[in-house]
Amino acid sequence: MFNVIGLDCWRFREAQSDEWFNAEVPGCVHTDLLRLGQIPDPFIGMNEAEVQWIDKQDWIYEACFETHAEQLQCRRIELVLEGLDTYADVKVNGQHVLSANNMFRQWRQDVKKFVQVGGNRLEIYFRSPIAVDVPKLERLGYVLPAPNDQSETGGLADKKVSVFARKAPYHYGWDWGPRLVTSGIWREVRIEAWSGMIVRDLFIRQDEVNAEEARLTAVIEVENAGEATEAELRILVDSKVWSKPVHLLKGKQTVELDLDMRKPKLWWCRGLGEPHLYTFTVELAEREQGAVIANKTVKTGLRSIRLVREPDAEGESFYFELNGVPVFAKGANHIPNDSFATEVTKERYRHEIASAAASHMNMLRVWGGGIYEEDVFYELCDEYGLLIWQDFMFACSMYPGDETFVDNVAQEAEDNIKRLRNHPCIALWCGNNEIDSAWAHYVENGGWGWKKDYTPEQRERLWTDYETLFHRILPEAVHAWTPQTAYWPSSPLIGLTADRNQHAHLSSKAGDVHYWGVWHASEPFEHYHVHVGRFMSEYGFQSFPEYKSVRAYAEEKDLELESAVMLAHQKNGAGNRLIKEYMERYMREPKDFACFLPMSQILQAEAMKMAIESHRRHKPYCMGTLYWQMNDCWPVASWSSMDYFGRWKALQYTAKRSFADVLLSVTDAEQGNKELHIVNDTQKPIAGTLRLTLLHIRGSQVIREEDIQVQQAAGAAGIVHTLPTDKWLNGLNRAEHMLVACLTQNGEQLASCEVYFADTKEMDLPQTNIKITEVPGSRGSSFILCSDVLARHVWLSAEREGIFSDNHLDLAPGIPKIVEFLALSNGNGTSTFAAVSPGALTVHSLVDWIQG
């Protein structure tokens, strides 16, 4: 017998008040207060400062549930709390049941002795995370490094307490996010009444998988509330059944069953094949009658994936191999989609994952300052074929190492690894974000300067605590619960010596790299060609969201770069100054602030195009490029390629082109020549025609044209042609001419690009008259764009919310391009974006935004 008892009539109040309000669960105090009109929207204007009092208070949530006499006959009545944020005391009918201290853990407790027939009351008392953790800081006697903890915003001066709570670090602020320290029930709460047996967990361990055979082990955790029982264990997938008799003792136990599948359909990431998924069902049945006692179903994909770190001529490799095929990882870093995680619907998750897949990505990194994402996030990544680099939730800080904290982390790791380990998308577990490189224990003057603030004894203690967490507790958890998955202690990291302690920070010939010289150090974009590591797991450049998104948080009077509201929605202290500084370096001056917004997106897109394509051209030396960052948690100027409202910035469209499986890319060569590269991420060789067409930017007449036969091997990258610029131009003005390169194979266009002989800032761009013509038979969803002169950075805007198949594009004179408008559909499957009419269209280009 198994049934779920529902909880209803949720309400909440401030602990020091007698006034109750209706609550929504899952949710948090902030969202409940906002829904009731008790606080202003913290995402608008300067309102973030108005809600900082909330985290200093205790809050009580309460619900009712009914139990019937037959339910009380069950051997177990368990309260299951999937997620409590964060310090909480739980009572049933006034009796203490458990105390929680970790947002990332699941809590389960038998409450049968507290439950009565009829009405019952569940109370969850949330203690202020600030009130709980300030005394820990005071007892420690010194502040632990936590530079992103915006304690001053929260009225705490320099009391940075975020490191003491096992709670989403970004809640305390980051350089792209607000300080909104939440409390509440952020995941499901339920009561399960059951007798007999229950399957707690089913893990399909993939011992050896290839195209010929999958050798698997079904690892089943069973709890038997009754006496010892003889049963039959069965595993079902498609039409196949494996079984064996089992003797199940009273209590918890693990049983295993070997599975062997011939010629399995493998799971592949996007670009390499179908992300096929199997559904496995475990059944425990009565030995005599055959009736099913308990069952559980999981979905997984069969694949072999490994992190390959092997010595080579350049140092040591760092890449992922999927089903025996080296994967060049293309994607971005993912942060939580909202400061209030429960506001993220399945549709918002699908929009993000579908956007990543539509942009030719094959990997996202779930960054360590956020949350272990919801199940639906990983299910969508499985479905769309996106690999996941999964951080544990530690970032840019040093953490305590006391026994209570360490034990808490160990259980957190177990809970989350076991929850996620069946997802074929999980490629790697990483201990933390940037802590190793920030502390730089073995390089006295290395890192972020943290060590100078501590005595030698304190430094050794902090490093010992670090090693306990990231070189013992977490790798042991990964090995125990998902032994086929790689573990990487910190990102970035070059490597470890045999004793697992000495770290090399000065070399980039191995490991992964975060390169921030562009942006934080004001280095030129051209340095992206110079600083290329084996795997580029972070780099980025900021932009503003579009005008419509900015107006969602700012009034017209606030639309200036240094207004209070603009600065409040720019969490990187130098951010607006840096955007302006780089714009002056690479672009002409915008007409006004409204024009500054799209020009900031052009700047960001051009920077990331240079980085992405440089990384890809260095294949196979470099085998991964994950820019910072995919998304936003609130409306803000940030490094995102897709703003808080899901609107694609110019970068998202640029990433789609620069991540294409076949890329035609241009670099400067000696003597002013141009080198054309083909990057081929497909498993088929290319033998095609490269057509080069020289044009004047003010006219469509072809000045010169040439066809060149080119080849590129499967999975390879390299130069296929060097263009002698002086010969082609033959004295023509570099700033007034351009070249269009188009790669075709068997009549099909594989790739194209525009080649410019002068920087955008040097070009006297002509005024444009872009014609938009509906494609016949497209039902108003597809359009032909054409211009009789060069139109740079053409931007289409639609009346309806959605995306275009291409945008932020260049139109060469007389060469049309077709774009399609797509909106999020409600259907299942991977055809998420459907062609629809956009409504009214407007079109602009760079020349409309710059001063004459």
Side-chain angles (χ1 to χ4, degrees), residues 147-162:
N148 288 286
D149 185 327
Q150 297 169 15
S151 55
E152 296 86 355
T153 301
L156 300 176
D158 63 348
K159 296 179 179 178
K160 298 182 182 298
V161 297
S162 56

Side-chain angles (χ1 to χ4, degrees), residues 595-652:
C595 294
F596 181 89
L597 300 177
M599 286 179 65
S600 75
Q601 292 196 18
I602 293 171
L603 192 67
Q604 178 192 36
E606 290 295 282
M608 294 298 92
K609 177 179 188 292
M610 191 175 293
I612 291 168
E613 295 192 10
S614 180
H615 302 158
R616 294 192 66 193
R617 289 193 302 268
H618 279 82
K619 179 181 182 177
Y621 175 81
C622 177
M623 284 296 286
T625 179
L626 308 177
Y627 65 78
W628 184 271
Q629 65 206 60
M630 178 75 180
N631 55 326
D632 278 325
C633 70
W634 75 318
V636 66
S638 81
W639 294 271
S640 71
S641 58
M642 188 174 72
D643 75 21
Y644 172 74
F645 301 102
R647 295 167 183 149
W648 283 28
K649 294 182 179 180
L651 169 54
Q652 197 69 51

Side-chain angles (χ1 to χ4, degrees), residues 43 48 148 150 168-179 333-339 367-371 395-396 433-434 516 520 538 542-543 568-573 628-629 631-640 644 649:
F43 290 177
E48 176 194 355
N148 288 286
Q150 297 169 15
Y170 83 111
H171 284 171
Y172 297 83
W174 218 266
D175 57 2
W176 37 258
R179 184 187 184 278
N333 286 259
H334 160 91
I335 66 171
N337 275 302
D338 208 290
S339 292
W367 166 79
I371 61 174
C396 303
N433 176 73
E434 295 187 341
W516 284 104
H520 288 303
E538 259 197 44
Q542 275 202 4
S543 72
H569 287 255
Q570 167 56 273
K571 290 296 184 177
N572 180 244
W628 184 271
Q629 65 206 60
N631 55 326
D632 278 325
C633 70
W634 75 318
V636 66
S638 81
W639 294 271
S640 71
Y644 172 74
K649 294 182 179 180

